[in-house]
Each structure stands twice: as C-alpha cells, then as structure tokens.
mmCIF file of all heavy atoms in Angstrom:
data_model
loop_
_atom_site.group_PDB
_atom_site.id
_atom_site.type_symbol
_atom_site.label_atom_id
_atom_site.label_comp_id
_atom_site.label_asym_id
_atom_site.label_seq_id
_atom_site.Cartn_x
_atom_site.Cartn_y
_atom_site.Cartn_z
ATOM 1 N N LYS A 1 -44.160 -34.064 -17.059
ATOM 2 C CA LYS A 1 -42.814 -33.751 -17.539
ATOM 3 C C LYS A 1 -42.854 -33.565 -19.050
ATOM 4 O O LYS A 1 -42.824 -34.531 -19.806
ATOM 5 C CB LYS A 1 -41.858 -34.878 -17.145
ATOM 6 C CG LYS A 1 -40.424 -34.385 -17.128
ATOM 7 C CD LYS A 1 -39.466 -35.301 -16.410
ATOM 8 C CE LYS A 1 -38.100 -34.628 -16.400
ATOM 9 N NZ LYS A 1 -36.996 -35.522 -16.175
ATOM 10 N N PRO A 2 -42.947 -32.301 -19.525
ATOM 11 C CA PRO A 2 -43.058 -32.083 -20.972
ATOM 12 C C PRO A 2 -41.779 -32.408 -21.727
ATOM 13 O O PRO A 2 -41.813 -32.799 -22.883
ATOM 14 C CB PRO A 2 -43.388 -30.597 -21.109
ATOM 15 C CG PRO A 2 -43.144 -29.979 -19.788
ATOM 16 C CD PRO A 2 -43.052 -31.061 -18.753
ATOM 17 N N LYS A 3 -40.627 -32.249 -21.077
ATOM 18 C CA LYS A 3 -39.338 -32.588 -21.690
ATOM 19 C C LYS A 3 -38.318 -32.835 -20.583
ATOM 20 O O LYS A 3 -38.592 -32.519 -19.421
ATOM 21 C CB LYS A 3 -38.882 -31.491 -22.643
ATOM 22 C CG LYS A 3 -38.802 -30.108 -22.070
ATOM 23 C CD LYS A 3 -38.535 -29.115 -23.205
ATOM 24 C CE LYS A 3 -38.417 -27.705 -22.662
ATOM 25 N NZ LYS A 3 -38.480 -26.691 -23.703
ATOM 26 N N PRO A 4 -37.139 -33.386 -20.927
ATOM 27 C CA PRO A 4 -36.203 -33.777 -19.875
ATOM 28 C C PRO A 4 -35.765 -32.633 -18.952
ATOM 29 O O PRO A 4 -35.383 -32.885 -17.817
ATOM 30 C CB PRO A 4 -35.007 -34.328 -20.664
ATOM 31 C CG PRO A 4 -35.598 -34.823 -21.940
ATOM 32 C CD PRO A 4 -36.707 -33.869 -22.260
ATOM 33 N N SER A 5 -35.867 -31.394 -19.406
ATOM 34 C CA SER A 5 -35.373 -30.277 -18.595
ATOM 35 C C SER A 5 -36.494 -29.488 -17.910
ATOM 36 O O SER A 5 -36.279 -28.364 -17.476
ATOM 37 C CB SER A 5 -34.560 -29.331 -19.471
ATOM 38 O OG SER A 5 -35.386 -28.846 -20.516
ATOM 39 N N GLU A 6 -37.693 -30.075 -17.820
ATOM 40 C CA GLU A 6 -38.825 -29.349 -17.239
ATOM 41 C C GLU A 6 -39.779 -30.267 -16.499
ATOM 42 O O GLU A 6 -40.043 -31.378 -16.955
ATOM 43 C CB GLU A 6 -39.658 -28.681 -18.349
ATOM 44 C CG GLU A 6 -39.284 -27.263 -18.653
ATOM 45 C CD GLU A 6 -40.163 -26.664 -19.752
ATOM 46 O OE1 GLU A 6 -41.356 -27.006 -19.865
ATOM 47 O OE2 GLU A 6 -39.624 -25.870 -20.514
ATOM 48 N N TYR A 7 -40.282 -29.765 -15.386
ATOM 49 C CA TYR A 7 -41.446 -30.372 -14.733
ATOM 50 C C TYR A 7 -42.536 -29.312 -14.675
ATOM 51 O O TYR A 7 -42.243 -28.130 -14.509
ATOM 52 C CB TYR A 7 -41.130 -30.798 -13.299
ATOM 53 C CG TYR A 7 -40.395 -32.106 -13.184
ATOM 54 C CD1 TYR A 7 -39.001 -32.141 -13.158
ATOM 55 C CD2 TYR A 7 -41.082 -33.315 -13.075
ATOM 56 C CE1 TYR A 7 -38.325 -33.345 -13.038
ATOM 57 C CE2 TYR A 7 -40.413 -34.518 -12.946
ATOM 58 C CZ TYR A 7 -39.032 -34.531 -12.923
ATOM 59 O OH TYR A 7 -38.367 -35.713 -12.808
ATOM 60 N N ARG A 8 -43.776 -29.767 -14.782
ATOM 61 C CA ARG A 8 -44.909 -28.863 -14.633
ATOM 62 C C ARG A 8 -45.796 -29.350 -13.506
ATOM 63 O O ARG A 8 -46.109 -30.544 -13.436
ATOM 64 C CB ARG A 8 -45.754 -28.845 -15.898
ATOM 65 C CG ARG A 8 -45.296 -27.843 -16.907
ATOM 66 C CD ARG A 8 -46.283 -27.829 -18.060
ATOM 67 N NE ARG A 8 -45.652 -27.236 -19.223
ATOM 68 C CZ ARG A 8 -46.154 -27.292 -20.440
ATOM 69 N NH1 ARG A 8 -47.304 -27.933 -20.655
ATOM 70 N NH2 ARG A 8 -45.525 -26.727 -21.445
ATOM 71 N N LEU A 9 -46.233 -28.410 -12.675
ATOM 72 C CA LEU A 9 -47.231 -28.711 -11.661
ATOM 73 C C LEU A 9 -48.509 -27.960 -12.019
ATOM 74 O O LEU A 9 -48.493 -26.732 -12.151
ATOM 75 C CB LEU A 9 -46.744 -28.270 -10.280
ATOM 76 C CG LEU A 9 -47.800 -28.351 -9.165
ATOM 77 C CD1 LEU A 9 -48.211 -29.791 -8.898
ATOM 78 C CD2 LEU A 9 -47.306 -27.677 -7.895
ATOM 79 N N TYR A 10 -49.587 -28.715 -12.194
ATOM 80 C CA TYR A 10 -50.907 -28.131 -12.446
ATOM 81 C C TYR A 10 -51.731 -28.171 -11.167
ATOM 82 O O TYR A 10 -51.725 -29.181 -10.458
ATOM 83 C CB TYR A 10 -51.687 -28.944 -13.485
ATOM 84 C CG TYR A 10 -51.234 -28.827 -14.909
ATOM 85 C CD1 TYR A 10 -50.082 -29.467 -15.345
ATOM 86 C CD2 TYR A 10 -51.997 -28.129 -15.843
ATOM 87 C CE1 TYR A 10 -49.687 -29.395 -16.685
ATOM 88 C CE2 TYR A 10 -51.610 -28.052 -17.171
ATOM 89 C CZ TYR A 10 -50.461 -28.689 -17.584
ATOM 90 O OH TYR A 10 -50.068 -28.627 -18.893
ATOM 91 N N VAL A 11 -52.446 -27.081 -10.906
ATOM 92 C CA VAL A 11 -53.468 -27.055 -9.857
ATOM 93 C C VAL A 11 -54.699 -26.396 -10.463
ATOM 94 O O VAL A 11 -54.620 -25.272 -10.970
ATOM 95 C CB VAL A 11 -52.999 -26.254 -8.618
ATOM 96 C CG1 VAL A 11 -54.111 -26.181 -7.577
ATOM 97 C CG2 VAL A 11 -51.748 -26.874 -8.015
ATOM 98 N N GLY A 12 -55.816 -27.113 -10.470
ATOM 99 C CA GLY A 12 -57.053 -26.552 -11.001
ATOM 100 C C GLY A 12 -56.940 -26.070 -12.437
ATOM 101 O O GLY A 12 -57.521 -25.060 -12.813
ATOM 102 N N GLY A 13 -56.166 -26.800 -13.257
ATOM 103 C CA GLY A 13 -56.074 -26.495 -14.689
ATOM 104 C C GLY A 13 -55.026 -25.468 -15.077
ATOM 105 O O GLY A 13 -54.717 -25.299 -16.243
ATOM 106 N N LYS A 14 -54.448 -24.744 -14.091
ATOM 107 C CA LYS A 14 -53.360 -23.793 -14.367
ATOM 108 C C LYS A 14 -52.038 -24.448 -13.965
ATOM 109 O O LYS A 14 -52.024 -25.303 -13.079
ATOM 110 C CB LYS A 14 -53.547 -22.511 -13.557
ATOM 111 C CG LYS A 14 -54.892 -21.814 -13.736
ATOM 112 C CD LYS A 14 -54.831 -20.847 -14.887
ATOM 113 C CE LYS A 14 -55.933 -19.816 -14.963
ATOM 114 N NZ LYS A 14 -57.280 -20.241 -14.635
ATOM 115 N N PHE A 15 -50.927 -24.020 -14.603
ATOM 116 C CA PHE A 15 -49.666 -24.672 -14.238
ATOM 117 C C PHE A 15 -48.523 -23.683 -14.069
ATOM 118 O O PHE A 15 -48.565 -22.560 -14.569
ATOM 119 C CB PHE A 15 -49.288 -25.754 -15.261
ATOM 120 C CG PHE A 15 -48.876 -25.235 -16.617
ATOM 121 C CD1 PHE A 15 -47.559 -24.895 -16.884
ATOM 122 C CD2 PHE A 15 -49.810 -25.109 -17.643
ATOM 123 C CE1 PHE A 15 -47.177 -24.434 -18.134
ATOM 124 C CE2 PHE A 15 -49.440 -24.642 -18.900
ATOM 125 C CZ PHE A 15 -48.117 -24.304 -19.142
ATOM 126 N N VAL A 16 -47.504 -24.144 -13.344
ATOM 127 C CA VAL A 16 -46.216 -23.458 -13.283
ATOM 128 C C VAL A 16 -45.150 -24.456 -13.746
ATOM 129 O O VAL A 16 -45.323 -25.671 -13.604
ATOM 130 C CB VAL A 16 -45.867 -22.937 -11.867
ATOM 131 C CG1 VAL A 16 -46.674 -21.689 -11.550
ATOM 132 C CG2 VAL A 16 -46.055 -23.999 -10.800
ATOM 133 N N THR A 17 -44.081 -23.928 -14.311
ATOM 134 C CA THR A 17 -43.002 -24.756 -14.857
ATOM 135 C C THR A 17 -41.755 -24.605 -13.999
ATOM 136 O O THR A 17 -41.384 -23.488 -13.632
ATOM 137 C CB THR A 17 -42.684 -24.316 -16.300
ATOM 138 O OG1 THR A 17 -43.864 -24.495 -17.095
ATOM 139 C CG2 THR A 17 -41.546 -25.136 -16.897
ATOM 140 N N PHE A 18 -41.136 -25.722 -13.693
ATOM 141 C CA PHE A 18 -39.851 -25.724 -12.982
ATOM 142 C C PHE A 18 -38.797 -26.281 -13.926
ATOM 143 O O PHE A 18 -38.916 -27.416 -14.394
ATOM 144 C CB PHE A 18 -39.951 -26.567 -11.706
ATOM 145 C CG PHE A 18 -40.926 -26.011 -10.711
ATOM 146 C CD1 PHE A 18 -42.253 -26.435 -10.701
ATOM 147 C CD2 PHE A 18 -40.536 -25.045 -9.798
ATOM 148 C CE1 PHE A 18 -43.165 -25.913 -9.793
ATOM 149 C CE2 PHE A 18 -41.442 -24.519 -8.882
ATOM 150 C CZ PHE A 18 -42.761 -24.954 -8.887
ATOM 151 N N ARG A 19 -37.801 -25.444 -14.234
ATOM 152 C CA ARG A 19 -36.749 -25.874 -15.158
ATOM 153 C C ARG A 19 -35.646 -26.561 -14.368
ATOM 154 O O ARG A 19 -35.183 -26.030 -13.365
ATOM 155 C CB ARG A 19 -36.209 -24.662 -15.918
ATOM 156 C CG ARG A 19 -37.217 -24.193 -16.944
ATOM 157 C CD ARG A 19 -36.909 -22.874 -17.615
ATOM 158 N NE ARG A 19 -38.080 -22.445 -18.379
ATOM 159 C CZ ARG A 19 -39.114 -21.799 -17.848
ATOM 160 N NH1 ARG A 19 -39.117 -21.484 -16.564
ATOM 161 N NH2 ARG A 19 -40.148 -21.478 -18.596
ATOM 162 N N VAL A 20 -35.262 -27.736 -14.827
ATOM 163 C CA VAL A 20 -34.321 -28.569 -14.075
ATOM 164 C C VAL A 20 -33.190 -29.028 -14.990
ATOM 165 O O VAL A 20 -33.346 -29.023 -16.210
ATOM 166 C CB VAL A 20 -35.042 -29.813 -13.486
ATOM 167 C CG1 VAL A 20 -36.152 -29.385 -12.535
ATOM 168 C CG2 VAL A 20 -35.599 -30.714 -14.576
ATOM 169 N N PRO A 21 -32.043 -29.413 -14.408
ATOM 170 C CA PRO A 21 -31.004 -30.000 -15.264
ATOM 171 C C PRO A 21 -31.500 -31.340 -15.808
ATOM 172 O O PRO A 21 -32.269 -32.024 -15.126
ATOM 173 C CB PRO A 21 -29.822 -30.233 -14.309
ATOM 174 C CG PRO A 21 -30.257 -29.792 -12.966
ATOM 175 C CD PRO A 21 -31.686 -29.389 -12.998
ATOM 176 N N GLU A 22 -31.086 -31.680 -17.007
ATOM 177 C CA GLU A 22 -31.481 -32.984 -17.545
ATOM 178 C C GLU A 22 -30.870 -34.076 -16.679
ATOM 179 O O GLU A 22 -29.726 -33.984 -16.265
ATOM 180 C CB GLU A 22 -31.021 -33.127 -18.994
ATOM 181 C CG GLU A 22 -31.841 -32.250 -19.912
ATOM 182 C CD GLU A 22 -31.716 -32.636 -21.380
ATOM 183 O OE1 GLU A 22 -31.379 -33.800 -21.668
ATOM 184 O OE2 GLU A 22 -31.960 -31.757 -22.226
ATOM 185 N N GLY A 23 -31.659 -35.118 -16.427
ATOM 186 C CA GLY A 23 -31.200 -36.212 -15.572
ATOM 187 C C GLY A 23 -30.057 -36.979 -16.211
ATOM 188 O O GLY A 23 -29.812 -36.886 -17.405
ATOM 189 N N HIS A 24 -29.385 -37.750 -15.373
ATOM 190 C CA HIS A 24 -28.262 -38.566 -15.875
ATOM 191 C C HIS A 24 -28.667 -40.024 -15.960
ATOM 192 O O HIS A 24 -27.925 -40.915 -15.610
ATOM 193 C CB HIS A 24 -27.059 -38.400 -14.950
ATOM 194 C CG HIS A 24 -26.605 -36.987 -14.830
ATOM 195 N ND1 HIS A 24 -26.112 -36.281 -15.903
ATOM 196 C CD2 HIS A 24 -26.593 -36.129 -13.781
ATOM 197 C CE1 HIS A 24 -25.812 -35.042 -15.516
ATOM 198 N NE2 HIS A 24 -26.104 -34.927 -14.233
ATOM 199 N N GLY A 25 -29.909 -40.251 -16.382
ATOM 200 C CA GLY A 25 -30.377 -41.631 -16.511
ATOM 201 C C GLY A 25 -30.431 -42.327 -15.169
ATOM 202 O O GLY A 25 -30.072 -43.487 -15.054
ATOM 203 N N ASP A 26 -30.862 -41.603 -14.137
ATOM 204 C CA ASP A 26 -30.951 -42.181 -12.806
ATOM 205 C C ASP A 26 -32.365 -41.946 -12.269
ATOM 206 O O ASP A 26 -33.157 -41.235 -12.870
ATOM 207 C CB ASP A 26 -29.917 -41.512 -11.889
ATOM 208 C CG ASP A 26 -29.433 -42.471 -10.815
ATOM 209 O OD1 ASP A 26 -30.137 -43.454 -10.524
ATOM 210 O OD2 ASP A 26 -28.342 -42.227 -10.268
ATOM 211 N N TRP A 27 -32.665 -42.544 -11.116
ATOM 212 C CA TRP A 27 -33.923 -42.268 -10.445
ATOM 213 C C TRP A 27 -34.017 -40.778 -10.145
ATOM 214 O O TRP A 27 -33.023 -40.167 -9.756
ATOM 215 C CB TRP A 27 -34.007 -43.043 -9.132
ATOM 216 C CG TRP A 27 -34.368 -44.483 -9.309
ATOM 217 C CD1 TRP A 27 -33.507 -45.534 -9.429
ATOM 218 C CD2 TRP A 27 -35.685 -45.035 -9.376
ATOM 219 N NE1 TRP A 27 -34.217 -46.703 -9.568
ATOM 220 C CE2 TRP A 27 -35.543 -46.428 -9.536
ATOM 221 C CE3 TRP A 27 -36.976 -44.490 -9.319
ATOM 222 C CZ2 TRP A 27 -36.645 -47.283 -9.643
ATOM 223 C CZ3 TRP A 27 -38.077 -45.335 -9.413
ATOM 224 C CH2 TRP A 27 -37.901 -46.721 -9.577
ATOM 225 N N GLU A 28 -35.193 -40.200 -10.337
ATOM 226 C CA GLU A 28 -35.441 -38.804 -9.935
ATOM 227 C C GLU A 28 -36.561 -38.798 -8.906
ATOM 228 O O GLU A 28 -37.626 -39.384 -9.143
ATOM 229 C CB GLU A 28 -35.838 -37.950 -11.154
ATOM 230 C CG GLU A 28 -34.680 -37.708 -12.088
ATOM 231 C CD GLU A 28 -34.957 -36.642 -13.151
ATOM 232 O OE1 GLU A 28 -36.086 -36.102 -13.217
ATOM 233 O OE2 GLU A 28 -34.024 -36.363 -13.928
ATOM 234 N N HIS A 29 -36.292 -38.164 -7.788
ATOM 235 C CA HIS A 29 -37.317 -38.042 -6.751
ATOM 236 C C HIS A 29 -37.869 -36.624 -6.794
ATOM 237 O O HIS A 29 -37.108 -35.661 -6.719
ATOM 238 C CB HIS A 29 -36.722 -38.327 -5.373
ATOM 239 C CG HIS A 29 -37.748 -38.284 -4.283
ATOM 240 N ND1 HIS A 29 -37.972 -37.161 -3.517
ATOM 241 C CD2 HIS A 29 -38.633 -39.212 -3.844
ATOM 242 C CE1 HIS A 29 -38.953 -37.414 -2.654
ATOM 243 N NE2 HIS A 29 -39.371 -38.639 -2.830
ATOM 244 N N VAL A 30 -39.185 -36.495 -6.932
ATOM 245 C CA VAL A 30 -39.798 -35.170 -6.952
ATOM 246 C C VAL A 30 -40.884 -35.072 -5.888
ATOM 247 O O VAL A 30 -41.597 -36.045 -5.619
ATOM 248 C CB VAL A 30 -40.404 -34.805 -8.337
ATOM 249 C CG1 VAL A 30 -39.320 -34.700 -9.383
ATOM 250 C CG2 VAL A 30 -41.462 -35.787 -8.761
ATOM 251 N N CYS A 31 -40.958 -33.903 -5.279
ATOM 252 C CA CYS A 31 -42.068 -33.560 -4.403
ATOM 253 C C CYS A 31 -42.575 -32.196 -4.839
ATOM 254 O O CYS A 31 -41.777 -31.295 -5.116
ATOM 255 C CB CYS A 31 -41.634 -33.449 -2.942
ATOM 256 S SG CYS A 31 -41.323 -35.015 -2.120
ATOM 257 N N ALA A 32 -43.893 -32.071 -4.899
ATOM 258 C CA ALA A 32 -44.493 -30.775 -5.209
ATOM 259 C C ALA A 32 -45.552 -30.499 -4.163
ATOM 260 O O ALA A 32 -46.346 -31.390 -3.830
ATOM 261 C CB ALA A 32 -45.127 -30.800 -6.593
#
C-alpha cells in the first residue's frame, strides 16, 4: 500500500495499481 488511496499487487517483480477510496479508519479486507 504505497498511500491511503492505492494498493499495488506485484507478481514476479511487475505490478499493477488499484486506486481505492481512502479508508475511514476501519478494518480493510483485501483479496488479490
């Protein structure tokens, strides 16, 4: 998670970015 509004998934050294709303200070569940 490079910043509150982004998740990155790396596979074999390359990545894709998923832009997300900033959390509201709650648990975040992620599956990739």
Side-chain angles (χ1 to χ4, degrees):
K1 202 165 184 200
K3 55 188 181 194
S5 60
E6 267 181 33
Y7 280 91
R8 272 185 199 167
L9 171 65
Y10 287 75
V11 177
K14 305 271 196 320
F15 70 88
V16 284
T17 299
F18 296 93
R19 287 171 190 83
V20 299
E22 288 197 24
H24 301 296
D26 210 339
W27 281 93
E28 289 192 357
H29 183 264
V30 295
C31 285

